[in-house]
Each structure stands twice: as C-alpha cells, then as structure tokens.
Amino acid sequence: MSPVYSPETDLHLLQSHAVTDAGERRLWLSKLAVLPEPIAIHCPVLGLCGFSSALTWDPQADHLELVGQAEPGVPLPDCPAPLGQRVRALVVALHEGVKLQFELDALAIAPGPNSAQRLWRLQSRMPHVIYRLQRRDAFRVTPSPLAPAQLWLATPGQAGRERSVQVVDVSATGMAFRWPERADTPPHEGSRLARCRLELAGTLPIECTLVVTETRADDDAADPRLRVGCRFEGLSPSEARAVQIYVNLAQVRARAKRPQVGLRTASAA
C-alpha cells in the first residue's frame, strides 16, 4: 500500500487537524462518496488492509457504508448471514492533495463463504472526528546557508545560560536537532525542553517548548551524535505562521536548486 494511504500516528499532528464540526464532516463524506481515487481500509481483524471498491454516504440516515476485499489467505467466516460484529476500522483517503483519516466503529457484514469476490461490507454512522491533513504542513526542510536555523537550549541548573545545538530539519509541526556529544544524558521520549529559542532566517527569535518524540542514532554513520526529534508545544498563531513561512521559503529554494534534467535533455537534443 502506498505510504500516502498509511495512517498517521502522530497524535499532536492529528489533534492539530481535527474536524469536529458535524456540517464539515458531512461535507467531507459527501466528497468521498464521489471520489474517483481509491479509499484505504485498515481493519486487520477482518483482513481488510487494502483499498475499498466503493463508499456510500446517506446524510439523511447518517449512514456510511464501505465495501472492501479480504486479503488472500484470510478465511471468510463460515456463515452467510450478517455477522453483527462491531469492529474498529481506520479509513484513509486522498482528496485533491488533502489526506483524510477517520476511525469507524462499524458493523461488519460478510457474504457467504463461497463468495468468489471475498467482499466485506462495513456499515457505520458518521465518524465523530475526521482528520484533515495537508501533507505539505509536515514537509521537512534542511537548513542551508540561504535558509539558516539555530536552536538554543536552556542549560539545566544554570539560570540564563544556554547552549547552541545543530538543527537537522524543521517542519510546521516540529523539528530535529543533534544532541551534543559531550553533553549530559540525552532527553528521552516525552521529555519537555522548556525555554528553548529557535532562530529561523527571516523571522524573529521564537521562544518555545519542545516535546521529545524520539532520540536515536542518526542515519549519518559518520556523525556519532544522537538525533533528537521534537514537536512544538504551545506556539502562538503568529509563531506557527512564522515557522510555516520559513518551511515554505526553504522548500522553494530547494526546488530552485534542483537540476532541470528534462529541459537540459530537450535542449541538448
């Protein structure tokens, strides 16, 4: 299955893009009902970890139905009648570049065991929340001389003292940096790094709190320093906008530096 259709697991990212308004949820379901692209269903209990062949949505009855196909080798239940079994199903779709994800507490209905198509039907009411994720919001950029970034961490036990660390990448939802090789014990997942100061090109310094999401060895074998991944906590709207502008501009600069292979090939011909 394409990574685009894989469920997002970052709770902070999901909470930041939650759609709870009933009217807006109905609107998105109506769009999915006429979506020509496939819709992914993740329901391992029933062997549904593929793409649905149809989604129907009846706003009057508040009734949603998905049809999916069991994976090869997953036996169908030995009963031709509706199972009446409540199952958790995760649905992921892509609509005009926007990723939609929601969970269903669905009623599973299966055809008879001799069905050649091995289809399942999942019936549910409208999901309580739909996560609307624009993929570019989580796009990571690497600082460069044209788009520098610097992070300052408060030194524990030394009021007013801070140390600079190398920024690995920045996104609208968080960032990563290298933990100094000779520094104290690195932070563990869930740690909160308060009184941080993030300096991004073209913006005022951002005083922020970082929540550690992972601490691991970096992919660069030549650099022994650990990579510390974090998410932003409590950014003001203006600060969040400043980070997004930095990411957008850095992304534009990165694209401008890429060689135009197609154009060069055409001109050479």
Side-chain angles (χ1 to χ4, degrees):
M1 182 175 294
S2 167
V4 173
Y5 290 94
S6 298
E8 298 286 349
T9 57
D10 186 329
L11 293 180
H12 178 69
L13 179 65
L14 292 174
Q15 292 168 0
S16 300
H17 296 79
V19 175
T20 56
D21 178 74
E24 190 173 354
R25 281 179 286 151
R26 292 190 183 95
L27 177 62
W28 280 113
L29 290 175
S30 298
K31 291 180 179 181
L32 292 184
V34 295
L35 188 68
E37 285 81 12
I39 296 174
I41 305 176
H42 300 261
C43 185
V45 173
L46 302 181
L48 293 177
C49 294
F51 294 102
S52 70
S53 55
L55 179 148
T56 57
W57 162 243
D58 183 352
Q60 301 299 324
D62 185 18
H63 180 269
L64 181 150
E65 181 174 277
L66 284 152
V67 178
Q69 192 168 35
E71 289 189 330
V74 177
L76 290 172
D78 188 17
C79 71
L83 293 176
Q85 179 185 5
R86 306 300 299 189
V87 296
R88 293 281 182 177
L90 196 60
V91 179
V92 181
L94 198 65
H95 181 276
E96 296 181 352
V98 177
K99 184 173 183 177
L100 301 169
Q101 177 174 315
F102 54 89
E103 188 177 81
L104 298 176
D105 178 17
L107 174 68
I109 302 176
N114 296 324
S115 170
Q117 293 182 311
R118 297 171 49 79
L119 295 179
W120 286 87
R121 284 187 295 142
L122 299 179
Q123 296 179 339
S124 173
R125 299 178 68 85
M126 181 171 65
H128 296 294
V129 59
I130 293 177
Y131 300 105
R132 179 183 180 276
L133 303 143
Q134 288 183 272
R135 299 301 297 160
R136 65 174 179 272
D137 285 351
F139 188 88
R140 297 178 180 179
V141 296
T142 302
S144 69
L146 292 177
Q150 189 68 53
L151 178 67
W152 297 82
L153 302 178
T155 303
Q158 301 182 38
R161 296 288 301 276
E162 55 185 13
R163 57 188 169 191
S164 173
V165 294
Q166 181 187 353
V167 176
V168 177
D169 57 52
V170 182
S171 77
T173 58
M175 61 175 299
F177 64 88
R178 295 190 190 279
W179 186 252
E181 191 174 7
R182 297 182 180 180
D184 300 330
T185 304
H188 55 80
E189 182 178 348
S191 299
R192 297 174 75 256
L193 306 177
R195 303 189 308 279
C196 298
R197 179 160 52 89
L198 178 61
E199 297 179 352
L200 301 173
T203 70
L204 294 174
I206 298 173
E207 306 291 335
C208 60
T209 295
L210 299 174
V211 179
V212 177
T213 56
E214 65 170 0
T215 299
R216 61 174 174 82
D218 195 78
D219 296 332
D220 184 0
D223 195 326
R225 293 176 297 174
L226 294 175
R227 181 186 188 278
V228 181
C230 305
R231 62 174 173 80
F232 296 120
E233 180 179 82
L235 290 185
S236 68
S238 61
E239 291 170 335
R241 185 164 55 252
V243 175
Q244 183 66 72
I245 290 173
Y246 169 83
V247 171
N248 291 346
L249 292 178
Q251 190 176 357
V252 169
R253 292 189 181 103
R255 282 201 300 262
K257 291 176 62 177
R258 294 174 187 167
Q260 302 296 316
V261 178
L263 293 178
R264 291 180 180 178
T265 302
S267 60

